[in-house]
């Protein structure tokens, strides 16, 4: 412990704005841009004219579906703000952004339902080591006291929430705030700077108590301040500000400021706190382990613009970048910068160069992906961050409505995948389907809207086919003879096959016990090929598994026998024999782990059996206070839209991971439905 350096750090800064869905992040960005003079007036999100949420999809759904970057200036400092989506379906967008930011402003409100979502965000900041302050928004709408609200929110945060302001009330209505560090009162004015005033006499006792509580927390990390408090000596104001800065930067506390973004209230105090307390590029560079010499660039986001091509939104961690500069990727390839741009929502302004601390878009780095690290070091340096998207939880089979658009669709999906690395697109060989996977129904809906709107490609989708299989319960010995005479050489193949079931998961085995050369050795592989070809679609219409076939006997013709004839004979034997072996349908069963807030666990455990699932157990989620893990097995056919119900039961925060566990027999009405629909239902 002891005194630590505080004070304002100069240079361009990059600030992420994060928070639960609908907490007011885009409104806060708009208020900041208005207060710094970057826009003439603050617009409401509902107006569809804000700098943030500028895409047609964001406007249509009135929600952030991608990060918005806007650079402004405040009191001579360049500040870049990145408004990140709050919905868990789009939350991966924030990871490469947060890693290279100096500070995160966490927007929250007094809403108990949003605490699990807040916890997800704060845990991610913990993982990345990003300092944060919390902006308690919509204070004009809550009847709860601010300190009661902090008690409500504290369980979501691993660091102490430290109140820097308390509300100023008149007749029970919040009319402003009292700054506990400055010991001044501020009267709110809509869309304008607050009026500075003395602390009212009837509020003084409350302010003294709240300020002492703040100082006590700061004193945990400052021996001199602790001595001052014990001796009842008023600490110097500069020391208080230095401690607030130092504690924020090293992650000891999360300072809390209050306001109402929609009306521009509390925004100036927030900006001043950012200017004074936010770490600078040097601290961020050290956190990421980036070298200080040379030029190092971290790519935070990829955008494909209609006319300007590909833009790589990047943080210059050290050195500088000029237009035309050649940069090395981590894998030893090079990329040439073609254009440097300052970002402001959907608009860009061209720059000649960018220096350490700047957040800019670099043009036409075609081989560069989100999350990559670029440098002027020959051969490149190791990547500073690793981004690993979570397992997808929602999917559908996608295809263009017109076949002529197939190549166009492939190119569009490549661009969308660069913009959103959490998307997955793969071809399923069994069903010949192209499967698009993501993190929720809305996530994929937005992708389809972009394909049809921005890319002008009409598409259609349906739930992916479930990989049903079939097997047999009985054994049989079956002869198959293929004989055909049509002038000249005929066709002759004759086989006797022993067909029997194998244990579940054993797959397929082929053997032969031919003696005396009744089937010549050169034809035995053809018999196996015929058997394997038949097993692609058994008597129920699905691929056959867990079956053993032995070639036991047969006969041949010295002139008319051929590879093809023995393949046909094997198929005939399989076709006749398999139907008599009590074929049965198999469905894939998945092992599922569902992550849920504890107060929703009962709802989740009730939901699982409704989907033919079996609860294996549930327990506290390790390291996650207030969360549980529910383990279950569930048919794959029931998992397709599981995430919709899980999110509905948990205010949008539950998720799951699933992996194949085993195949199980499916009989009766459900099996009939599957066979009648060609595998589309269960």
């Amino acid at each position: 412990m002891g005194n630590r350096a505080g004070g304002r750090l100069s240079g361009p800064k990059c600030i992420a704005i994060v928070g639960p869905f609908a907490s007011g992040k885009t409104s806060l960005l708009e208020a900041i841009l208005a207060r710094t003079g970057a826009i003439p007036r603050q617009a409401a999100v509902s107006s569809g004219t804000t700098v943030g949420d500028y895409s047609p999809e964001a406007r249509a759904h009135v929600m952030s579906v991608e990060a918005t970057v806007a650079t402004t200036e405040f009191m001579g400092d360049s500040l870049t703000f990145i408004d990140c989506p709050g919905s868990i379906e789009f939350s991966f967008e924030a990871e490469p952004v947060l890693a290279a930011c100096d500070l995160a402003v966490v927007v929250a409100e007094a809403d108990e339902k949003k605490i699990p979502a807040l916890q997800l965000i704060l845990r991610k900041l913990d993982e990345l080591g990003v300092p944060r302050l919390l902006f308690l928004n919509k204070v004009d709408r809550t009847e709860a006291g601010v300190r009661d609200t902090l008690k409500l929110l504290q369980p979501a945060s691993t660091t102490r929430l430290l109140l820097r302001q308390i509300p100023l009330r008149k007749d029970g209505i919040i009319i402003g705030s009292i700054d506990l560090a400055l010991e001044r009162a501020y009267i709110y004015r809509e869309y304008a700077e607050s009026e500075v005033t003395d602390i009212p006499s009837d509020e003084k006792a409350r302010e003294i108590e709240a300020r002492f509580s703040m100082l006590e927390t700061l004193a945990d990390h400052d021996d001199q301040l602790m001595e001052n408090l014990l001796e009842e000596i008023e600490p110097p104001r500069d020391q208080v500000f230095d401690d607030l800065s130092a504690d924020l930067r090293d992650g000891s506390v999360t300072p809390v400021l209050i306001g109402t973004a929609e009306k521009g209230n509390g925004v100036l105090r927030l900006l001043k706190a950012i200017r004074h307390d936010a770490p600078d590029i040097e601290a961020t560079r050290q956190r990421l382990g980036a070298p200080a010499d040379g030029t190092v660039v971290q790519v935070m986001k990829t955008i494909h613009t209609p006319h300007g091509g590909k833009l790589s939104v990047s943080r210059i961690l050290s050195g500088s970048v000029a237009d035309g500069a050649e940069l090395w990727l981590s894998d030893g390839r090079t990329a040439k910068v073609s254009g440097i741009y300052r970002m402001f929502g959907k608009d860009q302004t061209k720059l000649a160069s960018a220096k350490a601390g700047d957040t800019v878009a670099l043009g036409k780095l075609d081989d560069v992906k989100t999350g990559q690290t670029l440098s002027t070091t020959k051969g490149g340096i190791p990547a500073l961050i690793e981004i690993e998207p979570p397992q997808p939880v929602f999917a559908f089979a996608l295809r263009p409505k017109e076949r002529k658009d197939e190549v166009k669709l492939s190119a569009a999906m490549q661009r969308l995948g660069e913009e959103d690395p959490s998307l997955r697109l793969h071809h399923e060989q069994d069903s010949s389907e192209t499967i698009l996977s993501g993190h929720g129904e809305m996530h994929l809906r937005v992708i389809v809207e972009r394909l049809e709107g921005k890319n002008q490609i009409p598409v259609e989708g349906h739930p992916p086919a479930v990989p049903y299989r079939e097997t047999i319960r009985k054994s049989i010995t079956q002869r198959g003879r293929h004989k055909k005479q049509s002038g000249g050489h005929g066709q002759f193949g004759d086989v006797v096959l022993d067909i029997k079931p194998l244990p579940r998961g054993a797959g397929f085995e082929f053997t032969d016990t031919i003696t005396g050369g009744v089937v010549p050795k050169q034809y035995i592989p053809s018999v196996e090929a015929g058997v394997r070809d038949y097993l692609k679609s058994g008597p129920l219409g699905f691929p056959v598994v867990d079956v053993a076939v032995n070639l036991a006997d047969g006969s041949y013709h010295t002139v008319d026998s051929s590879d093809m004839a023995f393949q046909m004979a094997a198929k005939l034997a399989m076709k006749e024999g398999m139907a008599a072996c009590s074929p049965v349908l198999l469905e894939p069963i998945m092992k599922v782990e569902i992550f849920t807030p504890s107060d929703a666990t009962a709802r989740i455990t009730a939901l699982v059996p409704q989907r033919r699932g079996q609860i294996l157990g549930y327990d506290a989620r390790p390291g996650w206070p207030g969360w549980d893990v529910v383990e279950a097995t569930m048919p794959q056919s029931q998992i397709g839209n599981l995430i919709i119900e899980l999110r509905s039961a948990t205010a949008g925060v539950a998720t799951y991971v699933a992996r194949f566990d085993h195949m199980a027999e499916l009989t009766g009405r459900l099996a009939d439905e599957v066979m009648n629909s060609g595998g589309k239902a269960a």
Side-chain angles (χ1 to χ4, degrees), residues 420-475:
D420 183 352
S422 69
L423 279 179
R424 291 189 192 173
L425 190 73
H426 74 279
H427 184 74
E428 193 62 56
Q429 198 165 355
D430 278 354
S431 61
S432 297
E433 293 176 332
T434 299
I435 309 298
L436 178 65
S437 307
H439 301 289
E441 183 186 29
M442 181 61 74
H443 185 202
L444 296 193
R445 186 188 302 178
V446 165
I447 297 302
V448 168
E449 289 171 0
R450 286 178 177 160
L451 286 171
E452 297 189 328
K454 184 178 180 180
N455 296 278
Q456 298 291 297
I457 306 171
V459 294
E460 54 191 7
H462 58 81
V466 176
Y468 292 103
R469 298 290 184 263
E470 59 178 276
T471 192
I472 55 174
R473 291 168 167 167
K474 294 181 181 178
S475 301

Side-chain angles (χ1 to χ4, degrees), residues 130-151:
V130 179
R132 80 295 309 255
L133 57 79
L134 190 142
F135 183 73
L136 186 57
N137 195 21
K138 307 178 187 178
V139 291
D140 60 332
R141 297 187 193 175
T142 178
E143 295 180 3
V146 170
R147 281 185 279 186
D148 287 339
T149 299
L150 255 60
K151 288 178 185 176

Side-chain angles (χ1 to χ4, degrees), residues 471 502-508 545-546 586 660 662-663:
T471 192
L502 287 176
R504 194 74 65 242
F508 168 67
V545 295
D546 303 337
L586 297 176
F660 173 77
H662 65 281
M663 301 295 287

Side-chain angles (χ1 to χ4, degrees), residues 4-318:
R4 292 164 300 157
R8 188 174 77 83
L9 302 173
S10 60
K13 293 179 181 176
C14 184
I15 315 297
I17 302 177
V18 296
F21 171 67
S23 55
K25 299 177 297 299
T26 303
S27 293
L28 180 60
L29 173 63
E30 189 77 1
I32 286 169
L33 297 177
R35 190 52 48 86
T36 57
I39 55 176
R41 66 182 63 84
Q42 180 178 343
V45 171
S46 58
S47 71
T49 60
T50 52
V51 173
D53 290 355
Y54 59 83
S55 72
E57 299 80 29
R59 300 275 202 239
H61 299 294
V62 197
M63 66 182 297
S64 297
V65 297
E66 63 203 333
T68 299
V69 185
T71 299
T72 186
E73 289 191 358
F74 178 65
M75 299 181 71
D77 288 342
S78 174
L79 301 177
T80 297
F81 291 90
I82 306 183
D83 175 20
C84 300
S87 167
I88 192 173
E89 298 194 24
F90 302 96
S91 61
F92 183 73
E93 177 93 357
E95 289 202 25
V97 168
L98 288 169
C101 280
D102 302 317
L103 177 78
V105 173
V106 183
V107 184
E109 58 184 301
D111 186 344
E112 193 170 8
K113 292 179 182 176
K114 293 184 179 180
I115 291 177
L118 179 64
Q119 187 177 8
L120 290 175
I121 292 160
L122 293 175
R123 283 191 68 91
K124 181 55 62 179
L125 294 175
D126 286 344
E127 285 176 26
L128 297 170
V130 179
R132 80 295 309 255
L133 57 79
L134 190 142
F135 183 73
L136 186 57
N137 195 21
K138 307 178 187 178
V139 291
D140 60 332
R141 297 187 193 175
T142 178
E143 295 180 3
V146 170
R147 281 185 279 186
D148 287 339
T149 299
L150 255 60
K151 288 178 185 176
L152 181 74
L153 301 181
Q154 183 62 65
S157 175
T158 56
T159 61
R160 175 78 177 270
L161 298 180
L162 178 68
L163 196 59
R164 279 194 59 167
Q165 298 170 318
I166 58 174
L168 182 62
R169 299 177 187 268
K170 183 177 182 181
D171 299 327
I173 298 172
I174 294 177
I175 61 166
S177 66
I178 298 173
D179 189 293
L180 300 177
L182 283 170
E183 295 190 280
R184 291 180 192 158
Y186 296 85
I187 308 295
Y188 291 150
R189 296 187 295 182
E190 278 196 24
Y191 312 116
E193 188 174 333
S194 298
E195 178 188 341
V196 184
T197 184
D198 292 332
I199 299 172
S201 56
D202 57 347
E203 295 281 358
K204 194 64 183 171
R206 194 166 64 94
E207 183 270 334
I208 290 172
E209 179 194 353
R211 175 177 164 81
F212 186 77
S213 177
M214 178 187 77
L215 294 177
E216 272 190 318
T217 300
L218 296 176
D220 288 342
H221 308 98
D222 186 337
D223 294 338
Q224 182 60 53
L225 180 58
M226 179 67 77
E227 287 181 22
N228 288 345
L229 295 182
L230 291 173
E231 296 174 12
E232 298 185 358
I233 298 172
E234 180 64 26
R237 186 168 290 171
D238 286 349
Q239 181 186 354
V240 174
F241 276 109
D242 284 350
D243 280 343
L244 283 167
S245 297
D247 284 3
L248 177 145
R249 292 170 193 170
D250 66 19
S252 303
V253 299
T254 299
V256 178
L257 293 96
I258 66 173
T260 299
E262 202 171 49
K263 297 177 180 176
N265 296 152
V267 172
L268 184 60
R269 298 309 314 154
L270 172 65
L271 282 165
K272 289 188 175 180
I274 290 170
R275 182 173 182 264
H276 191 278
D277 300 339
D280 62 1
I281 191 61
E282 172 63 24
T284 301
R285 186 165 57 236
Q286 289 180 9
R287 172 166 55 80
L288 291 173
D293 56 329
T295 294
V296 180
V297 176
Q298 183 62 44
V299 181
M300 308 163 85
K301 178 177 169 60
T302 301
I303 303 171
H304 283 275
T305 65
H307 307 295
K310 181 177 177 179
L311 296 177
S312 300
V313 178
S314 306
R315 188 85 195 278
I316 315 300
L317 297 178
S318 63

